[in-house]
Amino acid sequence: MSKSDQGNTGLGFILKDTLQWSNEAPINYPQVIAGFIGMAGCISIGFYLNNLMFGLLSTFGVMITNDTSSDGTIKKHTTELFRTMATGTIAIFIGIIIAGHGWITGGLIVMISTLAALLGGISRSVAIASVQFVILSIIGSSMGDGGLHQDIFIIPAYFATGSLLGIIVSVIVGFLKKSRDHKVSVQNAKISYKQRFAHWRSKLTHFSGWKYTVRVALCMIAAQSIGIVFHLERSYWIGLTVAIVLKRDLAYSQRRIFQRGIGTAVGVLLGSCLLLWSLPEWNSIVVIGLLGAVRPIFKNRSYAIYAMLMTPLMLMMFSTGSPVTAYLLEYRLLDTMIGCVLAYVLGFYIWKKASQGNAVGKT
């Protein structure tokens, strides 16, 4: 996408951009191979041990570490992978602890999301980690509501195990391909964390430095309130959608909202095909592995297709060992659309109008 398109928020452009395919990002083959081996491997272990909860949570661990990219050496990439593993495990654990308390849980998720959005302004790496922390905290709160009847340490332990397996596979494949040995990010090395922190603090002296934090807070308050007031069974998908699509740049947020909404709608149609037949265990392993492998490719090249593929992948993972139901598909689509609408209205539209009003007032 050209720089001249960055601020384009017209509906026609958004719909065109949603269907656009980008070849800018090269395919990271070690990431693709590691995604297949890690996700298929964890599901296989879950089936073999007759422990489907391990299969689900360990696969989440692989997904998070597989999303971690680096322009540095294998040593630097490994460090980032372990940092991601630690962040995710802590987030899952916190989510489990705060789960099942109605408005208190909702309020704590809002607080976590708001604080993460604020701290994410320090640097790009912190921003990525903060979004991952929010997403996994919400997932943890959905798993710790008492329905799993698991010890609170078991769930994060399963996630950490999957993350560790993902790290091992990623490092081995990356070493064999030697794709990162001689790449060093010079730009990041020029700016110290102390300088980034000082710059972040200076931005907080103006409201513009708080704008993204306020946008996140408004959307999360609405998401949690809707889920609690209307007793939506899988309302955590609303908050997850908000956390995924709401970006600091307004134009980028709008594009992600439309891409996520359209991709999920098409993905639900694909997921409905799963109602027609039930795949055998080993066929499910292959399909989950393949979807896990191509995820990074489509995430970088067509986010709408990525969202479309993630829907059946999530449905297969959450319904491992049981058939996908129309009820599950309906909830996935409904909650995603609610999250997209909240992100659009409270996280984009009113801020765009306010910016336009200020621009008119200055002329």
Side-chain angles (χ1 to χ4, degrees), residues 21 24 93 155 168 173 215 243 253 269 296 304 312-313 333 342 344:
W21 177 268
E24 294 180 5
F93 183 69
I155 295 176
I168 293 173
V173 175
R215 289 165 57 209
S253 280
L269 294 177
L313 175 60
L333 181 60
L342 292 179
Y344 183 81

Side-chain angles (χ1 to χ4, degrees), residues 122-296:
I122 296 177
S123 68
R124 184 176 182 274
S125 60
V126 176
I128 294 173
S130 65
V131 172
Q132 289 177 338
F133 192 91
V134 172
I135 290 173
L136 291 171
S137 295
I138 295 174
I139 291 175
S141 69
S142 72
M143 294 179 172
D145 60 1
L148 298 179
H149 304 290
Q150 298 275 3
D151 186 276
I152 62 172
F153 295 104
I154 292 295
I155 295 176
Y158 285 169
F159 174 86
T161 301
S163 297
L164 183 59
L165 290 175
I167 291 173
I168 293 173
V169 173
S170 295
V171 171
I172 292 175
V173 175
F175 179 78
L176 293 176
K177 293 292 184 178
K178 297 184 181 297
S179 60
R180 297 186 175 95
D181 284 347
H182 303 292
K183 295 182 180 179
V184 179
S185 180
V186 179
Q187 182 179 1
N188 291 338
K190 290 181 179 179
I191 306 175
S192 67
Y193 276 106
K194 184 176 181 180
Q195 291 173 315
R196 293 182 186 276
F197 186 76
H199 179 65
W200 170 70
R201 287 187 59 184
S202 67
K203 290 192 297 183
L204 297 182
T205 59
H206 307 282
F207 178 70
S208 59
W210 293 85
K211 189 176 293 185
Y212 176 69
T213 303
V214 176
R215 289 165 57 209
V216 169
L218 287 175
C219 292
M220 281 300 182
I221 289 172
Q224 297 303 313
S225 299
I226 289 174
I228 295 172
V229 170
F230 293 98
H231 304 287
L232 300 180
E233 183 179 341
R234 297 180 182 270
S235 60
Y236 63 91
W237 273 336
I238 302 176
L240 281 176
T241 301
V242 169
I244 291 170
V245 303
L246 198 60
K247 303 300 178 182
R248 295 179 182 273
D249 179 76
L250 283 177
Y252 189 30
S253 280
Q254 186 188 27
R255 286 193 286 273
R256 272 297 171 91
I257 291 166
F258 275 86
Q259 290 166 349
R260 190 77 185 187
I262 295 173
T264 300
V266 177
V268 166
L269 294 177
L270 291 177
S272 63
C273 296
L274 298 174
L275 297 174
L276 302 178
W277 72 86
S278 179
L279 292 175
E281 287 185 357
W282 295 106
N283 287 6
S284 299
I285 291 171
V286 173
V287 173
I288 289 175
L290 289 175
L291 290 176
V294 301
R295 247 177 12 96

Side-chain angles (χ1 to χ4, degrees), residues 7 14 31 43 45 52 75 78 108 120 187 191 243 258-259 261 266 273 284 346:
I14 297 301
Q31 189 180 31
I43 291 292
I45 294 173
L52 300 182
K75 180 179 179 181
T78 304
L108 290 173
Q187 182 179 1
I191 306 175
F258 275 86
Q259 290 166 349
V266 177
C273 296
S284 299
L346 299 179

